[in-house]
């Protein structure tokens, strides 16, 4: 009898211990927001409540937050997957654009095809485009030893310029009278939206993929292979696992996911390809992946929260005339807090064990 | 009982007072960049401030730095849901999201800047600033000593091409040998690229710089630094080039905006394409710089008066493109002007 | 033949002029990475330095004060990175991104009143005593003061790193913390100084861009040059002496884009604009074979950062 109580208590404290850093992060972040508002001479508490309401207060705000959460989830997964192998990729933005480009190419080619044919082909095109743009840094790393962080960084800029080239030049819609964008996608290529909002099936896909990825990296043989290669490369090599092949796999698969986000944004949010469809999702996805500790299931709620933070930035401008940069400052502060708390906590854990 | 009655009276009175205050027409502006850029957004914001000052029952608010992507739809929708009655999306790329919202919110009026599509509750407004650019081109053509002019441009959209061509034609009308070189920066705002482009043009012999980017500050300052002339756009940036400033083409949105809002308020508004020009005052020439001699000023101002009187049409034929083809022998029709997609003879540089 | 030399000379001047802010950041980040720390936050530090430079110059009418203030701003922001990485042992890449975001956000936020403001510029060196120096005068006077300072930093950094005992310990901190400790040193001390120095130089680079080169402030005006600098450190193989050719490569590519347009070359300016980003990749690819065995010159301590990260 006493031993049962003891073990239950210790399980409880163990669970509390894992929740404690999370609670600390939340408290510190709220305090930071309040401090930020106070420094800028705004009523801190009411503005904070308005900010929260702006992200989640009513159906409209919630839907707008979820609209952002979808692509954020996918770009976060595009970072988390390579991270499983220890690779640091910041290429989400470039891969989004690459996917959007290839997917748009499919649409332009098959403009008159029926929807049941065009839609899946467009999505496949998007995924292929993103995968190819993940292949590039993978090859640069495995064949030429170029660091993937720098390679993905440079490739982001190149992808953006490629999109500009296309929408100003060969793919420019003549009817748009010079405005750099392609023609509007036919209805057969526009993903369906949900519940009279801008949310679309991309969000549902993203959530399903997150679950699938989680299962893949934790329960499948491939996931195990990745884990071995990461933690004990020599053992992996002895077991016949190829580091090179897996580098290519994770970067391509990650790129595929970001590419899907890219074509989805182009298709349903904008209805065509134009510069700027990736917004800030690349960096935000990176941020979310880190906040989630590269854990696929945690990416889901954190993406929603991040979407809420971004979407609620308008309320700061609307009600308090605080510039849009406020959202970036708050995001960065959140990031710094999470890094500090997590690092400190794991140091604490290591010391206590 | 008496207390309750007083309370009731007090509440209704204050509610009426509140609703009177709330009966202010709320007008929302969305800018693609900062409103202090001495450029396009600055000019739009000057219009907003004019509106604020000259109309009593109007309250304005603005959002700046809203990129031309999915964000703007959310920003505008939030404004609508917070009781904004009239929205001015001031950047071209906001048009389609605005049309989408116009469909869903028929009670809100949208007034888009520079667009070429309308809806039942969406009109557009713009000004033919190329008229003023023609005049700045004339000034440049008269002041240049090397017969080479430089133009720094962002993107090859019709509005930009109109300005380049008007500038070049204006210069050619007084100085047939003059050439205008164009360099594209590929971004509406990139100070480093603009300064570099300015330096490149000057290195190639240009002694007057003009431009169509978000802000004239960078190329104007570079021109001043290198001792050449500058012609401004969007706003009067002469303080950045006390020696080199010739003249500029600027917007004057305020009166136009007041007219639009008034017409919405008294029900006479129509969803049309409203276009101002030199005559209506929506666009104007800035002051001349100190170094512009009297004869030049007189000549340019005379041309301005001719344009305002309708005697001089800046797009009169022949209109010849870079390859020498005569595209229009008589006057170029307005629809063709608004969808311009070529550069005229005398302009060096290709469309990107 | 002489035409070719003149053209090359002009290209050199143009490339150096436009790439010198970037060069300052590359030098700083090289020193930082040599001590075994990577700081992606230099982009944010550069932006903050740029804004502070303009703001202070505006209020004090002194570009020199602006430059100094920019240095201080970059330094202050880098302290956050130092605190997270050295104090909390947080992941360096992630911390750098956090610093990057903070720098961009703060500079955008506080920069709004300074957009469109006119500030005092440095006086042209052509009229100063520098132009009168025989032989050297005409070579250096076309440049502005920050360019000259930046170029002078290269031999300073190079000599410091390779020829002094202090430099040896600095490099030891980056190559192997154990060796460093065996020598009786605390590698973290060098890493702290490295991060701060990187912060100071990136702040300087940003201020040079805003106060000297363009003489104004626009939100996000560095356009990713800070992040690019981190990549160019690799191209320069972590060697201060090679930072000049690496930065010039980038500057020349940017200048080529504009020159080619003015020569009427028939390639889209958007495609030409990719040149500055493709070239560093190409250089890294080409130098791979020769460096395959040495790992490209990356300090060992830095390799550990990438290995144990995520």
């Amino acid at each position: 009898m006493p031993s049962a109580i003891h073990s239950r208590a210790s399980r409880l404290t163990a669970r509390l211990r894992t929740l404690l850093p999370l609670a600390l992060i939340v408290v510190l972040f709220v305090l930071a927001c309040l401090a930020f508002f106070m420094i800028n001479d705004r009523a801190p508490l009411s503005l904070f409540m308005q900010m929260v309401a702006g992200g989640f207060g009513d159906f409209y705000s919630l839907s707008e937050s979820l609209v952002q959460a979808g692509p954020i989830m996918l770009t976060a997964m595009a970072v988390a997957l390579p991270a499983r192998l220890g690779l640091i990729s910041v290429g989400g933005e470039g891969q989004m654009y690459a996917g959007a480009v290839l997917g748009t190419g499919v649409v332009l080619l098959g403009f008159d095809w029926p929807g049941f044919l065009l839609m899946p082909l467009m999505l496949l095109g998007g995924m292929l485009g993103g995968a190819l743009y993940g292949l590039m840094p993978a090859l640069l790393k495995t064949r030429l030893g170029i660091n993937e962080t720098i390679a993905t960084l440079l490739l982001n800029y190149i992808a953006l310029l490629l999109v500009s080239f296309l929408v100003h030049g060969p793919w420019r819609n003549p009817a748009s009278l010079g405005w750099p964008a392609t023609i509007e996608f036919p209805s057969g290529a526009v993903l369906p939206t949900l519940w009279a909002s801008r949310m679309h099936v991309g969000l549902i896909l993203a959530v399903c993929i997150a679950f699938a990825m989680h299962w893949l990296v934790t329960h499948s043989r491939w996931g195990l292979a990745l884990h071995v290669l990461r933690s004990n490369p020599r053992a992996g090599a002895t077991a016949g696992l190829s580091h090179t092949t897996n580098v290519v796999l994770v970067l391509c698969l990650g790129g595929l996911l970001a590419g899907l986000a890219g074509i989805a944004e182009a298709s349903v949010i904008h209805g065509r390809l134009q510069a700027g469809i990736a917004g800030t999702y690349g960096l935000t996805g990176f941020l979310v992946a880190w906040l989630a500790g590269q854990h696929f299931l945690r990416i889901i709620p954190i993406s929603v929260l991040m979407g809420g933070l971004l979407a609620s930035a308008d309320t700061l401008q609307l009600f308090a005339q605080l510039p849009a940069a406020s959202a970036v400052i708050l995001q960065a502060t959140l990031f710094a807090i999470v890094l500090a708390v997590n690092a400190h906590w794991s140091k604490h854990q290591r010391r206590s064990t | 009982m008496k207390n309750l009655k007083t309370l009731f009276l007090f509440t209704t009175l204050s509610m009426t007072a509140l609703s009177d205050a709330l009966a202010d027409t709320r007008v929302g502006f969305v800018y693609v960049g900062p409103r202090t850029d001495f450029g396009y957004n600055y000019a739009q914001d000057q219009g907003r401030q004019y509106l604020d000052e000259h109309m009593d029952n109007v309250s304005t608010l603005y959002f700046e730095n809203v990129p031309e992507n999915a964000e703007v739809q959310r920003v505008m929708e939030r404004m609508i849901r917070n009781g904004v009655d009239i929205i001015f999306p001031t950047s071209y790329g906001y048009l389609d999201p605005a049309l989408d919202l116009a469909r869903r919110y028929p009670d809100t009026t949208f007034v888009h800047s520079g667009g070429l599509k309308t809806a039942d509750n969406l009109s557009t407004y713009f000004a033919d600033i190329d008229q003023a650019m023609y005049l700045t081109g004339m000034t440049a053509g008269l002041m240049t000593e090397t017969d080479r002019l430089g133009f720094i441009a962002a993107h090859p959209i019709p509005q930009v091409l109109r300005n380049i061509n008007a500038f070049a034609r204006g210069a050619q009308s007084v100085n047939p040998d003059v050439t205008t070189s164009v360099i594209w920066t590929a971004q509406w705002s990139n100070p480093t690229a603009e300064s570099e482009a300015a330096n490149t043009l000057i290195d190639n012999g240009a002694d007057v710089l003009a431009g169509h980017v978000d802000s004239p500050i960078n190329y104007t300052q570079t021109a001043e630094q290198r001792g050449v002339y500058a012609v401004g756009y969007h706003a009067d940036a002469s303080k950045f080039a006390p020696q080199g400033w010739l003249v500029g083409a600027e917007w004057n949105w305020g009166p136009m905006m007041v007219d639009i809002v008034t017409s919405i308020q008294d029900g006479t508004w129509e969803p049309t394409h409203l276009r101002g020009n030199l005559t209506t005052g929506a666009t104007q020439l800035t002051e001349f710089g100190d170094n512009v001699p009297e004869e030049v000023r007189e000549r340019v101002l005379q041309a301005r008066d001719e344009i305002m009187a309708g005697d001089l049409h800046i797009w009169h034929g022949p209109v010849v493109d870079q390859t020498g083809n005569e595209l229009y022998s008589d006057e170029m029709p307005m629809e063709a002007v608004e969808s311009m997609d070529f550069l005229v003879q005398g302009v060096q540089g290709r469309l990107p | 033949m002489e035409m070719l030399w003149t053209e090359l000379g002009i290209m050199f001047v143009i490339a150096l002029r436009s790439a010198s802010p970037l060069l300052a950041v590359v030098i700083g980040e090289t020193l930082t990475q040599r001590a075994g720390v990577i700081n992606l936050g230099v982009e944010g530090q550069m932006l903050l330095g740029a804004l502070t430079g303009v703001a202070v110059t505006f209020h004090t009418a002194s570009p020199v004060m602006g430059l100094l203030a920019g240095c201080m701003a970059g330094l202050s922001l880098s302290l956050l990175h130092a605190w997270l990485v050295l104090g909390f042992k947080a992941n360096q890449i992630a911390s750098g991104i956090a610093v990057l975001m903070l720098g961009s956000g703060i500079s955008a936020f506080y920069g709004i009143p300074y957009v469109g403001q006119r500030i005092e510029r440095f006086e042209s060196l052509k009229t100063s005593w520098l132009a009168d120096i025989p032989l050297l005068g005409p070579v250096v006077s076309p440049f502005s003061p920050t360019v000259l300072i930046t170029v002078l930093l290269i031999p300073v950094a190079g000599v410091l790193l390779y020829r002094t005992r202090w430099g040896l310990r600095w490099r030891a901190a980056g190559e192997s913390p154990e060796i460093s400790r065996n020598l009786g040193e605390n590698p973290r001390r060098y890493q702290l100084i490295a991060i701060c120095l990187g912060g100071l130089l990136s702040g300087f680079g940003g201020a040079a861009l805003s106060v000297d080169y363009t003489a104004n402030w626009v939100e996000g005006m560095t356009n990713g040059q800070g992040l690019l600098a981190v990549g160019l450190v690799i191209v320069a193989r972590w060697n201060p002496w090679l930072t000049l050719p690496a930065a010039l490569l980038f500057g020349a590519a940017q200048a080529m884009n504009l020159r080619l347009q003015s020569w009427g070359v028939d390639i889209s300016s958007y495609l030409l604009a990719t040149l500055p980003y493709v070239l560093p990749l190409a250089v890294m690819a080409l130098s791979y074979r020769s460096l395959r065995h040495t790992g490209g010159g990356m300090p060992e301590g830095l390799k550990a950062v990438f290995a144990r990260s995520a």
Side-chain angles (χ1 to χ4, degrees):
Chain A
M1 212 45 188
S3 59
I5 297 172
H6 180 79
S7 65
R8 199 186 300 162
S10 65
R11 262 188 287 139
L12 199 62
T13 48
R15 198 166 297 167
L16 273 175
R17 226 183 274 150
T18 52
L19 285 179
L20 210 56
L22 189 64
L24 188 61
I25 290 171
V26 171
V27 166
L28 283 174
F29 179 60
V30 173
L31 286 175
C33 287
L34 296 177
F36 179 72
F37 296 147
M38 275 199 283
I39 293 175
N40 286 291
D41 243 355
R42 310 287 200 276
L45 221 52
S46 61
L47 188 57
F48 187 79
M49 298 312 295
Q50 276 172 336
M51 197 172 89
V52 173
F56 305 102
D58 55 6
F59 176 72
Y60 172 71
S61 304
L62 185 60
S63 76
E64 281 300 316
S65 303
L66 289 175
V67 163
Q68 306 234 8
I72 292 175
M73 245 182 261
L74 287 166
T75 49
M77 289 194 270
V79 171
L81 187 59
R84 283 282 165 175
L85 208 53
L87 301 172
I88 303 179
S89 158
V90 289
E93 186 179 321
Q95 289 153 6
M96 269 184 87
Y97 280 123
V101 163
L102 210 67
T104 307
V106 169
V107 172
L108 292 177
L109 207 65
F111 203 79
D112 300 312
W113 294 348
F116 66 84
L117 197 60
L118 186 57
M119 180 93 66
L121 282 177
M122 173 187 81
L123 292 175
L124 275 171
M127 293 195 271
L128 186 61
L132 284 173
Y133 222 63
L135 183 64
M136 285 169 66
L139 288 178
L140 288 172
K141 182 175 180 75
T142 53
R143 295 286 175 82
L144 298 170
I146 297 179
N147 177 272
E148 73 280 0
T149 315
I150 302 303
T152 48
L153 206 68
L154 292 171
L155 285 170
N156 281 346
Y157 291 110
I158 295 175
L160 184 59
L161 287 167
L162 181 67
V163 171
S164 290
F165 166 69
L166 288 170
V167 296
H168 273 97
W171 284 4
R172 192 176 66 184
N173 177 7
S176 74
L177 295 169
W179 174 245
T182 61
I183 44 179
E184 281 164 36
F185 284 10
S187 56
V190 176
L191 293 170
T193 54
L194 311 165
W195 304 308
S197 70
R198 292 199 303 165
M199 292 190 284
H200 54 87
V201 291
L203 175 64
I204 302 182
L205 268 172
V207 173
C208 296
I209 293 175
F211 276 99
M213 296 303 306
H214 174 76
W215 181 87
L216 205 64
V217 298
T218 51
H219 287 92
S220 74
R221 266 216 336 217
W222 184 54
L224 184 62
L226 289 179
H227 183 78
V228 170
L229 278 170
R230 169 90 196 286
S231 50
N232 196 342
R234 219 177 297 154
T238 341
L241 297 170
S242 161
H243 190 253
T244 315
T245 318
N246 282 294
V247 166
V248 171
L249 278 175
V250 293
L251 280 172
C252 282
L253 190 52
L256 185 147
L257 297 178
L260 183 62
I263 189 61
E265 285 294 292
S267 154
V268 70
I269 299 291
H270 293 88
R272 59 182 166 213
L273 180 67
Q274 63 182 64
I277 57 172
T280 55
Y281 293 136
L283 208 58
T284 308
F286 184 87
L287 177 53
V288 167
W290 278 95
L291 293 179
Q294 321 292 353
H295 190 280
F296 285 94
L297 288 182
R298 279 192 226 145
I299 283 179
I300 302 175
I302 296 181
S303 301
V304 173
L305 284 173
M306 191 59 67
L309 182 61
L310 290 179
S312 67
D314 320 323
T315 53
L316 294 178
Q317 268 211 46
L318 193 61
F319 293 116
Q321 282 78 51
L322 281 174
S326 317
V328 179
I329 297 179
L330 292 177
Q331 264 187 312
T333 315
L334 174 64
F335 200 8
I337 291 174
V338 169
L339 283 174
V341 169
N342 277 346
H344 179 79
W345 207 257
S346 44
K347 192 164 70 175
H348 199 72
Q349 293 278 54
R350 269 184 259 127
R351 251 196 247 133
S352 58
T353 46
Chain B
M1 206 57 205
K2 198 169 178 198
N3 283 338
L4 214 62
K5 232 193 257 181
T6 335
L7 185 66
F8 182 71
L9 208 61
F10 176 79
T11 320
T12 35
L13 276 178
S14 49
M15 288 290 280
T16 338
L18 202 68
S19 59
D20 267 343
L22 289 175
D24 254 10
T25 310
R26 295 190 76 195
V27 185
F29 287 78
V30 190
Y31 309 133
V32 72
R35 64 192 178 98
T36 47
D37 65 358
F38 253 93
Y40 184 78
N41 301 293
Y42 169 82
Q44 296 278 354
D45 194 64
Q46 292 290 104
R48 178 190 66 86
Q49 292 179 30
Y50 185 96
L51 188 67
D52 244 343
E53 284 161 35
H54 285 78
M55 292 192 75
D56 288 326
N57 56 353
V58 157
S59 70
T60 65
L61 64 143
Y62 61 88
F63 274 75
E64 49 185 349
N65 286 318
V66 181
E68 281 168 328
N69 60 16
E71 296 243 342
V72 68
Q73 190 160 11
R74 189 189 69 231
V75 165
M76 289 196 286
E77 194 158 6
R78 274 213 213 269
M79 281 202 280
I80 298 172
R81 293 170 68 91
N82 269 284
V84 171
D85 307 298
I86 305 173
I87 296 191
F88 277 79
T90 62
S91 190
Y92 192 100
Y94 295 161
L95 182 58
D96 284 319
L99 284 168
D100 202 45
L101 285 175
R103 213 175 18 239
R104 295 185 12 226
Y105 293 97
D107 291 329
T108 314
T109 317
F110 293 82
V111 187
H112 180 271
S113 172
L116 294 155
K117 293 186 267 190
T118 60
D120 283 340
N121 52 342
L122 189 148
S123 74
T124 72
Y125 72 102
F126 208 61
D128 294 330
I129 199 169
D130 47 358
Q131 289 183 336
M133 280 304 277
Y134 184 89
L135 295 170
T136 64
M138 279 182 76
T139 320
L142 290 169
M143 296 292 293
T144 176
E145 284 158 35
T146 63
D147 282 350
R148 298 177 85 146
L149 312 174
F151 201 104
I152 296 143
H155 294 297
I157 63 173
Q159 287 157 11
V160 177
L161 294 172
R162 279 171 74 173
N163 285 329
I164 300 175
N165 291 334
F167 178 79
R169 282 166 57 91
Q172 284 163 8
S173 72
V174 294
N175 186 347
D177 300 321
V178 92
T179 58
T180 308
S181 302
V182 180
I183 290 192
W184 304 93
T185 60
Q187 279 178 271
W188 286 116
S189 177
N190 184 345
T192 322
E194 288 160 30
S195 299
E196 260 321 303
N199 277 313
T200 307
L201 288 167
I202 297 171
D203 289 338
N204 280 345
D207 66 347
V208 184
L209 290 185
H212 186 151
V213 284
D214 249 358
S215 171
I217 296 178
N218 285 291
Y219 73 80
T220 306
Q221 287 201 115
T222 312
E224 182 75 353
Q225 208 187 9
R226 298 286 300 266
V228 301
Y229 295 124
V231 153
Y233 184 67
H234 288 314
D236 185 342
S238 55
K239 73 176 186 186
F240 291 95
Q243 301 292 329
W245 180 264
L246 291 181
V247 75
E250 63 177 359
W251 310 100
N252 183 19
W253 296 120
M256 204 170 175
M257 288 178 173
V258 169
D259 286 341
I260 295 174
V261 174
T262 316
S263 73
I264 296 175
Q265 283 182 328
D266 54 39
T268 55
W269 174 85
E270 300 251 314
T272 54
H273 297 300
L274 202 61
R275 292 292 179 267
N277 52 26
L278 273 180
T279 323
T280 66
T283 162
Q284 55 196 26
L285 270 184
T286 65
E287 291 291 322
F288 285 98
D290 292 330
N291 283 331
V292 181
E294 200 52 45
E295 319 89 69
V296 173
R297 296 186 198 214
E298 272 180 29
R299 201 155 164 201
V300 174
L301 288 175
Q302 190 193 0
R304 185 194 68 179
D305 294 335
E306 282 172 27
I307 295 179
M308 284 173 72
D311 297 327
L312 174 59
H313 296 185
I314 64 168
W315 297 113
H316 61 79
V319 177
V320 184
D321 73 7
Q322 285 174 307
T323 59
N325 280 336
E326 186 177 282
L327 297 172
Y328 301 91
S329 44
D330 286 327
E331 175 133 5
M332 189 171 172
M334 233 12 221
E335 305 88 62
V337 171
E338 295 230 339
S339 54
M340 196 172 293
D341 60 356
F342 61 92
L343 291 169
V344 297
Q345 202 171 44
V347 176
Q348 288 176 347
R350 63 180 295 285
L351 293 177
Chain C
M1 199 55 202
E2 206 185 286
M3 267 281 285
L4 184 62
W5 281 119
T6 346
E7 267 303 311
L8 281 176
I10 295 175
M11 284 294 292
F12 175 77
V13 170
I14 297 167
L16 185 56
R17 183 177 58 198
S18 77
S20 95
L22 179 63
L23 180 58
V25 185
V26 177
I27 297 171
E29 182 67 9
T30 304
L31 291 174
T32 311
Q33 291 197 14
R34 272 290 185 169
V37 179
I38 181 168
N39 184 1
L40 287 175
V42 284
E43 170 81 6
Q45 286 158 207
M46 208 179 166
L47 278 170
L48 199 60
L51 171 66
T52 314
V54 165
V56 169
T57 310
F58 179 72
H59 291 294
T60 63
S62 160
V64 176
M65 290 297 293
L67 273 184
L68 287 173
C71 295
M72 288 297 113
L75 177 69
S76 319
L77 190 57
S78 69
L79 286 175
L80 174 63
H81 186 61
W83 192 38
L84 285 173
V85 160
L86 299 176
F88 287 102
K89 297 275 194 337
N91 180 274
Q92 296 185 12
I93 306 286
S95 168
I97 302 279
V99 169
L100 182 156
M101 293 175 75
L102 201 60
S104 347
I106 294 179
S107 62
F109 189 89
Y110 286 106
I112 292 172
Y114 295 103
V115 180
Q117 296 293 347
R118 181 155 180 259
I119 57 170
E120 283 296 315
R121 299 189 81 146
F122 282 105
E123 284 182 18
S124 170
L125 286 177
K126 291 201 180 124
T127 55
S128 75
W129 52 270
L130 267 172
D132 298 326
I133 302 177
L135 224 71
L136 216 55
V139 175
V140 294
S141 53
F143 294 112
S144 56
T146 54
V147 177
L148 297 175
I149 297 175
T150 309
V151 172
L152 282 174
L153 284 172
I154 297 176
V156 169
V159 164
L160 218 68
L161 206 58
Y162 290 122
R163 301 283 174 147
T164 65
R165 204 181 314 167
W166 197 74
L168 184 63
R169 298 202 189 112
W170 184 287
R171 283 181 286 136
E175 294 291 343
S176 169
E178 278 122 49
I179 294 180
S180 189
R181 277 190 214 102
N182 286 342
L183 286 173
E185 296 286 343
N186 182 4
R188 291 217 287 176
R189 191 166 74 107
Y190 289 96
Q191 290 178 335
L192 177 62
I193 300 175
I195 296 174
C196 290
L197 212 55
L200 193 127
L201 285 174
S202 49
F204 174 78
L209 179 66
S210 66
V211 173
D212 196 6
Y213 190 57
T214 60
N216 78 343
W217 160 259
V218 168
E219 182 181 320
M221 71 185 296
T222 57
N223 262 305
Q225 285 183 55
L227 280 178
L228 211 62
V230 180
L232 289 177
V233 168
I234 302 180
V235 176
R237 300 185 205 163
W238 293 270
N239 182 348
W241 295 108
L242 291 178
T243 55
L244 183 61
L248 278 181
L249 182 72
F250 186 79
Q254 273 194 325
M256 277 309 283
N257 168 15
L258 300 170
R259 292 276 139 173
L260 285 173
Q261 277 192 58
S262 72
W263 292 337
V265 166
D266 207 13
I267 308 177
S268 162
S269 61
Y270 297 106
L271 291 180
L272 285 176
T274 60
L275 214 61
Y277 303 104
V278 171
L279 275 181
L281 281 176
V283 169
M284 283 194 275
L286 287 171
S287 57
Y288 171 65
R289 284 244 192 82
S290 57
L291 297 171
R292 202 176 0 192
H293 302 293
T294 57
M298 185 188 252
E300 289 298 322
L302 215 54
K303 287 190 194 158
V305 169
F306 281 97
R308 76 170 122 88
S309 55

